[in-house]
Amino acid sequence: MPVPLSKRPARKAAKSSVRAKATSRARRAPLRVDLALQGGGAHGAFTWGVLDRLLEEEWLQIDGISGTSAGAMNAAVLVDGLDRGGREGARQALAAFWRAVSDAARFSPLQRGPLDVLLGRWSLEGSPLFVGMDLASRLWSPYDLNPFGINPLRDILERSIDFEALANSKTRLFITATNVRTGRGRVFRNAELTPDVLLASACLPNMFQAVELDGEYWWDGGYSGNPTITPLVRDCDSNDTILVAINPVEREGRPTTAREILNRINEVSFNAGLLKELRMIAMLRQVVDAGNCEGARWARMRIHLVRNELAAELDSSSKMNAEWAFLTMLHAEGRRAAEAFLERDGGNLGKRSSVDLDVLLDGV
């Protein structure tokens, strides 16, 4: 039976059971799957961990990847590494990318405050510079504070990814950015990908200048699709999509502080496009007969979920914390979550959805 979107994963099985399941998976026939990777700043290191673990499963063959923001960068680095050096090459490329991100942030003024370090909190809320920059961003725009549009990620992306090779990759890439003028999302495919496309997909309006592409200006793709599912349905052969979720759909309690309210608003808005597409899949399953029409293609898509359970415990400021210790902690959590997913839902892949999308129709 599929599990609701809000249900926590089952507890880890005994070691002997884990080994038995791993052996069983190793004998499985190859299965083509799609990946849908959410964005979330430094929390994208969780997705790095998930991908690192999934790449160890030889039977999982990646057909297409849809990514937004940090998910877009994970997707592009993974495919470039996969084409250069196979699965191990992809794992090494992801590790090198996140190490470069951490190294670039080593001398950033945005560091944890002494009390947060002492108490083992990953938040930047105690950093006077973070608080000052947060207040400044409400008075001045990136065009005032960063007139030259400097983004340290540009150099990292140019060094990490062979964009010419991506254009000819057999693995399909779909990267979402939001058009500032129209408010609509656009999906960029392999041959269109450049460092600017990835920076556009991750462009938070209060931190960076809008990125110009083809005479238009673009902001973070999370406002229109985080990530976008449509191209996976239309352009890929797989009927299984593994969604790696970073932003919690549900959060217990009522936000009462200004930052809690702003954080929850961002979570709701950044999940809205994705939930709309998942709701469409749920509706089509109820009304579309089997066949070759596009509606039937949507209805046949099986959805599986790897969730970041830490997301509800980390505040939004930690998405800007690129300390290596924090990134590796998220990576380890991602591997743990992927292992739990394979134990719990690996048997559903190729057969049925692992999540109950009908709950999204409640109240509709």
Side-chain angles (χ1 to χ4, degrees), residues 1-7 285 302-305 344-345 348 351-359:
M1 290 289 292
V3 298
L5 285 171
S6 60
K7 187 173 181 180
R285 283 180 181 169
R302 296 181 287 264
I303 303 297
H304 313 275
L305 178 66
R344 182 182 68 250
D345 297 325
N348 291 328
K351 299 177 181 177
R352 64 187 70 85
S353 286
S354 300
V355 293
D356 181 9
L357 296 181
D358 289 342
V359 299

Side-chain angles (χ1 to χ4, degrees), residues 30-36 55 58-66 75 78-79 82-83 87 166 168-174 190 231-242 297 301:
L31 176 70
R32 296 173 72 81
V33 298
D34 299 324
L35 301 176
L55 284 166
E58 297 283 344
W59 59 284
L60 291 177
Q61 307 290 323
I62 301 173
D63 187 11
I65 310 177
S66 178
L78 183 154
V79 171
L82 196 63
D83 290 343
R87 292 171 179 270
L166 281 186
N168 300 311
S169 177
K170 294 180 180 179
T171 306
R172 301 175 177 92
L173 280 168
F174 310 100
N190 294 58
L232 298 178
V233 176
R234 288 181 171 176
D235 298 353
C236 294
D237 298 323
S238 168
N239 287 322
D240 289 81
T241 293
I242 300 175
R297 178 86 176 95
M301 180 61 73

Side-chain angles (χ1 to χ4, degrees), residues 47-292:
T47 302
W48 162 33
V50 173
L51 298 175
D52 190 50
R53 177 63 188 88
L54 294 181
L55 284 166
E56 295 175 354
E57 298 294 323
E58 297 283 344
W59 59 284
L60 291 177
Q61 307 290 323
I62 301 173
D63 187 11
I65 310 177
S66 178
T68 297
S69 194
M73 297 182 188
N74 274 320
V77 171
L78 183 154
V79 171
D80 184 55
L82 196 63
D83 290 343
R84 293 194 201 199
R87 292 171 179 270
E88 188 58 32
R91 296 180 65 199
Q92 292 176 5
L94 285 165
F97 171 77
W98 283 100
R99 184 78 213 200
V101 169
S102 180
D103 288 345
R106 188 176 299 167
F107 302 107
S108 167
L110 298 180
Q111 304 289 341
R112 286 186 293 163
L115 184 59
D116 290 321
V117 173
L118 182 64
L119 296 177
R121 297 191 300 233
W122 299 110
S123 172
L124 297 180
E125 296 286 354
S127 166
L129 280 172
F130 172 80
V131 174
M133 290 185 66
D134 183 55
L135 292 173
S137 69
R138 301 167 194 271
L139 299 173
W140 296 285
S141 79
Y143 300 87
D144 302 314
L145 300 174
N146 185 9
F148 298 106
I150 297 172
N151 190 329
L153 281 174
R154 179 183 299 279
D155 290 338
I156 297 174
L157 292 172
E158 290 175 346
R159 294 196 310 268
S160 302
I161 301 171
D162 183 346
F163 287 90
E164 290 185 7
L166 281 186
N168 300 311
S169 177
K170 294 180 180 179
T171 306
R172 301 175 177 92
L173 280 168
F174 310 100
I175 305 303
T176 302
T178 304
N179 188 300
V180 176
R181 179 178 61 85
T182 67
R184 295 195 296 267
R186 172 180 167 183
V187 176
F188 295 84
R189 290 162 169 79
N190 294 58
E192 303 170 296
L193 298 185
T194 65
D196 280 337
V197 169
L198 296 184
L199 292 175
S201 183
C203 180
L204 291 173
N206 62 331
M207 293 185 61
F208 300 106
Q209 295 184 20
V211 178
E212 183 179 2
L213 298 167
D214 302 328
E216 295 276 8
Y217 291 92
W218 304 86
W219 279 339
D220 195 298
Y223 296 110
S224 51
N226 191 21
T228 306
I229 302 295
T230 300
L232 298 178
V233 176
R234 288 181 171 176
D235 298 353
C236 294
D237 298 323
S238 168
N239 287 322
D240 289 81
T241 293
I242 300 175
L243 168 62
V244 183
I246 289 180
N247 301 302
V249 173
E250 299 180 4
R251 184 181 285 273
E252 297 298 326
R254 178 185 60 172
T256 55
T257 69
R259 178 157 295 282
E260 288 174 346
I261 293 171
L262 181 61
N263 181 48
R264 189 56 184 152
I265 289 173
N266 286 334
E267 288 176 348
V268 171
S269 63
F270 272 42
N271 280 326
L274 171 64
L275 291 177
K276 182 178 180 180
E277 289 185 296
L278 295 179
R279 189 179 296 114
M280 181 175 11
I281 293 175
M283 293 180 66
L284 288 172
R285 283 180 181 169
Q286 296 185 0
V287 300
V288 175
D289 294 328
N292 295 320

